[in-house]
Amino acid sequence: MRQIIIGVLFILAGFTSCKNESKIETSKTKNKGLITKKAMVVSARVEASEIGTEILKAGGNAFDAMMATEMALAVCYPYAGNLGGGGFLVYRLADGTKGALDYREKAPLGSSKNMYLDSNGEVIKDLSTVGIMSVGVPGTIAGIFEAQKRFGKLDIATILKPVIKLAKHGYIITNKQEERIASYDSIFRAVNEKEILYNNNLKAGETIVNLALAETLQRIADNGRDEFYIGETGKQLVKYLQSKGSIITLEDLAKYEAKWRSPITFQYDDLSITSMSPPSSGGICLNQIMTMIEPFDLKDYGHNTLKTIQVVVEAEKRAYADRSFYLGDPDFIDIPIEALTSTVYLEDRMNNFSFKNPTPVDAISHGKITGYESTETTHYSIVDQYGNAIAVTTTLNGGYGSKLYVDELGFFLNNEMDDFSSKPGEPNYYGLIGAEANSIAPEKRMLSSMTPTIVEKNGDFYMSLGTPGGSTIITSVLQTILNVYEYDMTMQEAVNAPRFHNQWLPDEIRMEPNSFNEKLIQQLEALGYIINQTRTPVIGKVDGILMLDDGSLEGGADKRGDDTAVGF
Ligand code: GLY
């Protein structure tokens, strides 16, 4: 089951040739990312971008490439790529039709509102974030099959073949991966009570093979979606879960379904922006923030200047305060989407904004905060040679999710239950607070911040983008769009540019360290803003694709990770 090949032994002959071919028709200039004529995949790992591109070259479309890319990330980016998690897809077909698919995890049937509280009504530390009780019912396999069934062109065996090969022959550990795996070594041992595949002092340059995952993927290729939900794999998964004390049952798996949703669509100047609807907060918050900042002349203020940061931060504050109160699973609660995104409401919301000083957080709403976040989750964007574009963000929640690794099946399980509000007013892992709208109930989907987004300009496809980063996802997507549109950056420059973040509570502006000049920080502090440059050294890892005026594509693969654009 477990096998690690030390040294760069098999460097995937197939992928090497594919890699060379993929880049043959491309060019790179100093400030631009990869430019291609027809199609592109940008993801957190070169192997996943290459496999997605290979599927496009085989005649597949963006939805076939989605399945291949997502599963390849599950193999070579287990930090966030997954079979044991969930995600969201936003798409724009070549004819301009737009839509969204929700394959978010669900609370198990046996869950209950106060399941993470002790007898005194206090939140039990770590119960929703680490280990067996943190696991939600996974949605990823249902999601990729649902999207491929509706729009894909190829057969599943063809799509999964290169992914299975990747799991069998292995992939090379990068420097960043070595660091991550090493830092999780002790928690993997503690949670799993034994060594797992990733407890092997893995070094950059070594090749790691996951035969258990290759077998799981082969069964899924042979038997389809149901293999994971009612087949042998599902049964093995539930046996494993229950042996650890999980409340997830075969019925939970059997009842899981991905859901087509109407995305959130709104205008910002001549851009039309389509993003994810609830149970993600991404689209609504992005809509609110962009509508609140639209009346201000950000271009004139300049990129990351005092005035720009003030306007954006104050809009973010107000949107995140609404998020914590109003948003949750739309199948369980009524969300006043129209009211929350109406121009009248949002103008009123910014009424007490002043360049003279920050609006106190208490004047916006109330809450208490202590927690923070790390970056996890992963995003990929694909544009195919037929003119379809997709933006997909997928997650296990925390890095390696619950840290529980199913040895027999070769994948980690999510800790997505922490995205519910365990107790109104109490912060989750991201420091986000929630209310009744996001309380736990059987079969409910937990609120997300994932913001896979497609942007059109004058009616044509313009950009596909998204990012990991928990609560910072929304603000990273926002800044990247503004960087391209308001500040004329290339896609790569827009992705590379330093980022800041405000989420109402805690009452602070997080800024990437060593990225903003001291004078600017002093000016913000003099106005009364609290600046935190230490807690989130990396804000988001944005991947995106921009359509240039001549119809070619530019990839923006975030330098903060191993992210890579590949195409033709
Ligand atoms: N688990 C992170 C999110 O969904 O926002």
Side-chain angles (χ1 to χ4, degrees), residues 121-411:
E122 300 300 330
V123 175
I124 303 167
K125 192 172 173 320
D126 295 340
L127 197 60
S128 68
T129 53
V130 186
I132 199 67
M133 290 306 288
S134 67
V135 182
V137 183
T140 295
I141 295 297
I144 58 175
F145 270 85
E146 185 65 28
Q148 201 279 338
K149 185 175 79 182
R150 183 173 284 196
F151 296 117
K153 290 157 66 93
L154 300 182
D155 62 278
I156 303 298
T158 303
I159 297 170
L160 290 182
K161 194 169 166 199
V163 184
I164 294 166
K165 190 168 157 192
L166 179 68
K168 264 193 195 154
H169 291 204
Y171 60 93
I172 295 168
I173 301 287
T174 66
N175 289 323
K176 289 191 170 86
Q177 213 164 12
E178 175 190 328
E179 277 172 33
R180 265 198 308 269
I181 290 172
S183 71
Y184 282 87
D185 187 78
S186 56
I187 192 162
F188 288 159
R189 285 174 206 277
V191 172
N192 292 285
E193 298 175 291
K194 62 176 181 181
E195 281 205 340
I196 62 167
L197 180 64
Y198 298 95
N199 273 127
N200 284 286
N201 199 18
L202 296 165
K203 296 289 175 222
E206 291 174 2
T207 297
I208 182 163
V209 164
N210 189 340
L211 293 181
L213 185 51
E215 283 169 20
T216 300
L217 289 167
Q218 188 61 59
R219 286 195 304 277
I220 291 171
D222 294 341
N223 304 323
R225 173 213 183 273
D226 284 353
E227 170 64 28
F228 191 89
Y229 292 97
I230 52 174
E232 190 48 39
T233 301
K235 287 180 190 140
Q236 277 191 44
L237 177 58
V238 169
K239 192 169 161 209
Y240 168 86
L241 285 163
Q242 294 188 348
S243 75
K244 297 274 176 190
S246 174
I247 54 174
I248 294 178
T249 61
L250 280 170
E251 190 185 358
D252 278 307
L253 280 191
K255 287 187 87 168
Y256 187 86
E257 277 179 8
K259 292 196 168 183
W260 295 99
R261 305 269 187 201
S262 296
I264 301 291
T265 299
F266 62 96
Q267 290 294 129
Y268 176 87
D269 290 351
D270 57 353
L271 300 183
S272 173
I273 295 168
T274 302
S275 193
M276 194 61 217
S277 44
S280 181
S281 61
I284 290 182
C285 287
L286 189 65
N287 183 345
Q288 288 193 305
I289 296 167
M290 293 193 84
T291 305
M292 284 188 268
I293 64 178
E294 194 176 7
F296 297 87
D297 196 347
L298 296 187
K299 198 188 278 284
D300 193 44
Y301 301 161
H303 176 245
N304 281 355
T305 58
L306 181 65
K307 283 180 95 170
T308 295
I309 292 176
Q310 281 186 271
V311 170
V312 171
V313 159
E314 292 296 334
E316 289 174 354
K317 230 186 233 182
R318 288 155 174 80
Y320 276 82
D322 280 352
R323 176 197 194 278
S324 78
F325 188 75
Y326 290 108
L327 304 190
D329 184 343
D331 296 339
F332 283 72
I333 56 157
D334 287 328
I335 302 174
I337 297 181
E338 250 179 64
L340 284 172
T341 55
S342 84
T343 310
V344 175
Y345 169 73
L346 293 167
E347 273 171 10
D348 187 53
R349 204 83 172 105
M350 282 297 267
N351 253 345
N352 56 352
F353 165 76
S354 159
F355 280 112
K356 290 204 188 96
N357 41 41
T359 312
V361 290
D362 290 351
I364 292 170
S365 195
H366 297 279
K368 152 179 162 221
I369 210 82
T370 54
Y372 292 93
E373 55 103 33
S374 67
T375 56
E376 34 42 56
T377 304
T378 190
H379 174 85
Y380 56 94
S381 283
I382 301 177
V383 175
D384 68 23
Q385 63 276 34
Y386 309 107
N388 305 301
I390 65 171
V392 184
T393 314
T394 178
T395 190
L396 288 165
N397 194 20
Y400 305 102
S402 61
K403 323 299 181 248
L404 275 169
Y405 181 74
V406 194
D407 240 349
E408 298 77 6
L409 301 174
F411 58 82

